[in-house]
Amino acid sequence: MSTEVRQMFSSIATRYDVTNEVLSFGIHRLWRRTAVRLSRAKAGDSVLDCASGTGDLALAFKRKVGATGHVLGTDFCPEMLESAPAKAAKAGLQVDFQVADAMALPFEDNRFDVASIAFGIRNVDDPVKCLKEMGRVVKPGGRVVVLEFGQPEGVFGALFRFYSKTVMPAIGGMLTGNRAAYEYLPRTSAAFPAGERFLSLMDQSGAYAERSAHPLTFGTANVYVGLVR
């Protein structure tokens, strides 16, 4: 799956930001701010952002940790990272970026205070291995934060599923020229474990002393927080 996902993101990289803004109505910004808040990152902390894409979450963390803190954004798709350094520079933020696979992070144990991944863990071949790797590179007592789509229920859930299956592929295809990518993304979101089922994956990794789930926007997304052993 990794090769196919890498090729898919490569094909939509140049239009990813504008498409994301349109399809989410900008609410993804609020979700990222919530993830940063729940991470309890503070000034001077060192943060690793996995599946960083065009760098939005990495930049949000840099604003939190300040000049004395360090943020490193990684992604296994080089094309997704291409625009991130310029975006950081335009915002006046010093953030480092490098190509790296979240399932095999090239960093020593206990290096970071916080590690994060937003809308990326459902695209890795082995989510449990990814969770274990992220926990490995975070210091004991530090936090791993996962922001991922959920499966809302009730009337809102029905509306969300209609939007995901019908509207997103149409608009995403129009804006990027790759309709298949925006059929894949909601399909994987709908199938990926959410809520208690995702917390079970965190337990399976053996990396966390505590873990919690925080639903956002009627369960459209969740922030999962793990306290590293």
Side-chain angles (χ1 to χ4, degrees):
M1 185 175 75
S2 294
T3 300
E4 295 175 1
V5 171
R6 185 182 294 111
Q7 292 172 345
M8 180 192 72
F9 278 107
S10 174
S11 74
I12 65 175
T14 59
R15 300 290 292 170
Y16 181 82
D17 276 353
V18 66
T19 306
N20 193 30
E21 189 73 15
V22 170
L23 291 176
S24 74
F25 304 100
I27 201 169
H28 65 96
R29 299 180 186 182
L30 175 61
W31 292 348
R32 286 187 172 89
R33 286 198 295 270
T34 302
V36 172
R37 176 175 58 80
L38 290 172
S39 76
R40 299 189 187 178
K42 61 186 184 301
D45 276 355
S46 179
V47 179
L48 172 68
D49 183 38
C50 301
S52 198
T54 60
D56 285 336
L57 186 56
L59 269 60
F61 269 111
K62 181 58 179 177
R63 293 185 181 98
K64 184 68 175 180
V65 302
T68 59
H70 176 248
V71 178
L72 174 60
T74 65
D75 202 291
F76 79 151
C77 179
E79 291 82 1
M80 285 294 290
L81 283 178
E82 281 181 0
S83 65
K87 183 186 290 187
K90 184 177 180 180
L93 299 171
Q94 176 58 51
V95 179
D96 294 324
F97 296 96
Q98 75 178 68
V99 177
D101 188 338
M103 292 192 301
L105 295 168
F107 310 115
E108 65 272 20
D109 295 359
N110 309 328
R111 172 172 170 177
F112 301 95
D113 298 292
V114 173
S116 62
I117 185 168
F119 309 115
I121 198 163
R122 74 183 188 279
N123 296 317
V124 305
D125 287 333
D126 188 341
V128 173
K129 184 176 181 181
C130 178
L131 288 165
K132 187 173 184 178
E133 268 293 271
M134 293 175 71
R136 177 184 66 79
V137 301
V138 170
K139 302 169 186 175
R143 285 172 170 79
V144 168
V145 178
V146 179
L147 173 58
E148 190 53 82
F149 286 112
Q151 290 113 33
E153 299 178 350
V155 174
F156 184 84
L159 292 171
F160 177 72
R161 286 188 291 275
F162 172 80
Y163 177 76
S164 298
K165 293 179 181 179
T166 306
V167 180
M168 281 184 63
I171 296 178
M174 179 179 65
L175 293 176
T176 66
N178 188 343
R179 181 186 176 98
Y182 288 89
E183 292 173 337
Y184 165 87
L185 293 171
R187 184 174 67 249
T188 55
S189 298
F192 193 71
E196 289 295 327
R197 291 184 297 146
F198 185 84
L199 294 179
S200 177
L201 298 183
M202 298 185 78
D203 290 340
Q204 290 175 44
S205 75
Y208 306 102
E210 300 174 11
R211 77 290 185 280
S212 57
H214 306 265
L216 306 174
T217 317
F218 306 105
T220 304
N222 293 283
V223 176
Y224 304 98
V225 181
L227 182 69
V228 176
R229 294 184 185 278

